[in-house]
Amino acid sequence: SSGINAEWSLRPGPNRVTPLISQLRKATLKESGVVKVCQARISAMDIHQGNEIIVASGSKWGDMGVCRYPVNGEDRVVAHVKYHQDIVSCIKFREKKIFSSSYDGYLKNFDPEVKKETTVFKNTDSWLRYFDFTSTHTYVVGDNLGQVMQGDLRCDSSKFTQYSSNGLYKNSLWSVDSNIHHPNYFLVGGASGVVVMFDVRNNKEHVTQYNRSRTINSAFFDGVTGRKILVTCMDDTLTTLAVKDMSEMHSESVTKHDTYTGRWLTKLRATWLPGSSEYFTVGSLRKYPRTMTMYNASEGRQVLSISDEDLMMSVQSIVAVHSATSSIIGANASGYNYIFTQD
């Protein structure tokens, strides 16, 4: 296929559509945009927000593939490594380096240019579920035992400070997210059905919490104001929370969306569009056609549904948007990236 128009639905309204979404409606999928990057189900993915599309994906078998797109006559997968011994749970670019956590208890740093990896953090007594950076040198990690740990890139990989959730978390954490506008604060969410906000300056108690009845897949601050939180829950809801004075969280809007992925698919996690506190994207369990969707957060209204009935016939559990090229990238359970780009 030389490129098939994406299905889209865009309801008119004053000042409701950002230029990025207007461009994304034009994105198409070519055969060259379907790239095998991992040996098995992709369990984590991140894209580098630079001028070109660089995607890092990790799988349930512990391998990681780095894809550059487009390329002329060259291999699209520029690196494929396996330095984790279990599921890759989270991947994040930091400049051109790639950090990844795994159920093997390691947080590692990979430099794709020199093909070198180093251990940043290790705690082999638990499975590392998610991590984020809280400053230039510090990071926070959540694990399957409900532990929240902060480490320092300049220190020994086995040294960390543990944060107390006062019994709120005895089960697995599924996400960790720091606030780039208010860097002392970070969120965790997990199987106990609670979103908890912490202050890095106080590891004895949390700041505030927001309760749901089912597992929290993720809770992410918006990158524009740092005062909105996007929560994906296994009760089939995507909730936008408003943050007041960095001390209170309350529900602002709720969007109904099927989030029950079961055991064979990677969990859905809704994420904010780059540079937006109003729009977000998420994978879809819709059977036909398979789609990736975008919503208006305050209205709980779908603004874009993108699909290709010939080339994309699987659930894209992970979805990310590359703002510089107005592209949208999905990841599926067979180790493939699906890269919709402008013609």
Side-chain angles (χ1 to χ4, degrees), residues 283-320:
S284 172
L285 299 180
R286 177 180 172 182
K287 288 186 168 54
Y288 187 82
R290 296 298 190 184
T291 64
M292 296 182 282
T293 55
M294 294 183 193
Y295 289 93
N296 177 299
S298 61
E299 300 175 6
R301 175 177 59 87
Q302 181 176 300
V303 297
L304 184 67
S305 176
I306 190 166
S307 67
D308 187 309
E309 297 178 15
D310 291 325
L311 294 177
M312 192 178 77
M313 293 171 283
S314 57
V315 172
Q316 306 300 301
S317 290
I318 309 174
V319 180

Side-chain angles (χ1 to χ4, degrees), residues 85 103 114 154 179 322 339-340:
Q85 303 306 311
Y103 288 13
V114 297
R154 299 163 295 184
N179 192 322
H322 187 258
I339 306 171
F340 286 76

Side-chain angles (χ1 to χ4, degrees), residues 13 22 70 122 192 209 214 256 302 334:
S22 296
K122 62 180 178 181
S192 296
Q209 67 188 75
R214 300 286 299 276
K256 296 297 293 182
Q302 181 176 300
S334 299

Side-chain angles (χ1 to χ4, degrees), residues 44-48 54-58 63-68 78-81 83-84 88 90-101 106-120 131 133 153:
M45 182 184 81
D46 194 25
I47 58 176
H48 185 264
I54 304 175
V55 186
S57 305
D63 65 309
M64 183 176 72
V66 182
C67 167
R68 177 180 283 115
V78 295
H80 185 264
V81 294
Y83 52 77
H84 285 299
V88 179
C90 181
I91 287 180
K92 289 184 184 291
F93 275 99
R94 208 166 194 221
E95 297 177 346
K96 287 297 181 71
K97 293 184 178 180
I98 303 168
F99 289 78
S100 60
S101 60
Y106 283 81
L107 172 61
K108 296 199 173 189
N109 172 11
F110 175 64
D111 188 334
E113 292 187 358
V114 297
K115 305 291 193 297
K116 180 183 178 182
E117 56 91 4
T118 55
T119 295
V120 173
F131 72 93
F133 295 97
L153 295 172

Side-chain angles (χ1 to χ4, degrees), residues 35 53-54 62 86 121 127 162 169 260 274 288 291 325 329 339:
V35 187
I53 301 171
I54 304 175
D86 210 328
F121 172 88
W127 299 349
Q162 188 161 331
Y169 274 107
Y260 189 74
Y288 187 82
T291 64
T325 60
I329 299 97
I339 306 171

Side-chain angles (χ1 to χ4, degrees), residues 56-300:
S57 305
S59 89
K60 70 172 187 177
W61 287 356
D63 65 309
M64 183 176 72
V66 182
C67 167
R68 177 180 283 115
Y69 187 87
V71 291
N72 296 317
E74 299 177 19
D75 192 349
R76 288 161 294 174
V77 180
V78 295
H80 185 264
V81 294
K82 188 178 188 301
Y83 52 77
H84 285 299
Q85 303 306 311
D86 210 328
I87 294 175
V88 179
S89 56
C90 181
I91 287 180
K92 289 184 184 291
F93 275 99
R94 208 166 194 221
E95 297 177 346
K96 287 297 181 71
K97 293 184 178 180
I98 303 168
F99 289 78
S100 60
S101 60
S102 170
Y103 288 13
D104 63 10
Y106 283 81
L107 172 61
K108 296 199 173 189
N109 172 11
F110 175 64
D111 188 334
E113 292 187 358
V114 297
K115 305 291 193 297
K116 180 183 178 182
E117 56 91 4
T118 55
T119 295
V120 173
F121 172 88
K122 62 180 178 181
N123 181 17
T124 54
D125 293 331
S126 65
W127 299 349
L128 303 188
R129 295 287 202 190
Y130 217 83
F131 72 93
D132 200 9
F133 295 97
T134 50
S135 73
T136 303
H137 300 294
T138 57
Y139 56 87
V140 176
V141 182
D143 69 10
N144 66 313
L145 303 178
Q147 298 178 109
V148 183
M149 299 159 283
Q150 184 181 54
D152 193 310
L153 295 172
R154 299 163 295 184
C155 298
D156 185 274
S157 60
S158 60
K159 292 184 178 179
F160 57 87
T161 300
Q162 188 161 331
Y163 286 78
S164 172
S165 64
N166 294 323
L168 283 176
Y169 274 107
K170 298 177 181 177
N171 301 314
S172 184
L173 297 174
W174 286 107
S175 79
V176 178
D177 189 59
S178 65
N179 192 322
I180 62 172
H181 294 283
H182 307 278
N184 288 323
Y185 298 92
F186 67 91
L187 299 170
V188 299
S192 296
V194 187
V195 178
V196 181
M197 185 188 297
F198 286 97
D199 186 327
V200 296
R201 298 163 294 188
N202 183 358
N203 69 327
K204 302 299 183 184
E205 58 185 3
H206 64 283
V207 177
T208 187
Q209 67 188 75
Y210 171 78
N211 299 300
R212 299 293 296 185
S213 60
R214 300 286 299 276
T215 293
I216 303 293
N217 289 356
S218 59
F220 298 133
F221 286 110
D222 78 275
V224 179
T225 68
R227 294 190 177 276
K228 288 188 178 181
I229 299 168
L230 180 59
V231 179
T232 305
C233 183
M234 288 295 284
D235 63 1
D236 293 336
T237 62
L238 310 173
T239 302
T240 304
L241 305 179
V243 182
K244 181 180 179 182
D245 300 327
M246 301 311 297
S247 61
E248 298 177 22
M249 299 182 286
H250 66 268
S251 177
E252 192 172 68
S253 67
V254 178
T255 303
K256 296 297 293 182
H257 188 84
D258 187 358
T259 58
Y260 189 74
T261 45
R263 65 178 297 187
W264 304 114
L265 296 174
T266 298
K267 288 181 178 294
L268 301 186
R269 291 183 172 99
T271 57
W272 296 103
L273 261 64
S276 176
S277 60
E278 191 62 29
Y279 296 94
F280 63 85
T281 185
V282 66
S284 172
L285 299 180
R286 177 180 172 182
K287 288 186 168 54
Y288 187 82
R290 296 298 190 184
T291 64
M292 296 182 282
T293 55
M294 294 183 193
Y295 289 93
N296 177 299
S298 61
E299 300 175 6

